[in-house]
Amino acid sequence: MMAQDPAQTSQRVKVGMIGLAAVLLLIGLAAAIFSTATKEPPLSVAGGARPEVVANMAAGNAALPIDGPSNEPLAELGVAPSTTTDANLAQAGGVDPKSQHNR
């Protein structure tokens, strides 16, 4: 192996030290930015959701009384028609729902 020139070794050490200093400077800058960002209070946007109002709305939702557990989550959301109401209406009228579909 060949011996390196002392000037080249000195230059490599200087470049390495400058690179290390640059990385440490960037880490310090990022830490300062994130620490000031966490100290600021959250912004309140006009018309935005407020956590205390949303919590009260969810806690006091008595619009739909629940009679019991339902096996039809889509019908509860209003996405699909309920099959139990069709069966209850047919029984109240005395008509078999299966015979209605065959007509």
Side-chain angles (χ1 to χ4, degrees), residues 35-97:
S35 69
T36 58
T38 56
K39 291 179 184 175
E40 292 181 6
L43 296 175
S44 60
V45 179
R50 295 183 305 191
E52 67 277 359
V53 174
V54 174
N56 289 337
M57 288 173 55
N61 188 5
L64 298 172
I66 299 175
D67 296 334
S70 174
N71 293 332
E72 298 181 289
L74 293 178
E76 289 178 5
L77 294 173
V79 177
S82 174
T83 57
T84 57
T85 56
D86 293 341
N88 290 342
L89 290 174
Q91 287 176 358
V95 180
D96 185 21

Side-chain angles (χ1 to χ4, degrees), residues 6-30:
Q8 187 179 13
T9 305
S10 174
Q11 182 186 5
R12 287 182 181 218
V13 169
K14 286 179 184 176
V15 169
M17 295 301 277
I18 290 173
L20 184 61
V23 169
L24 290 175
L25 181 67
L26 287 174
I27 291 173
L29 183 65

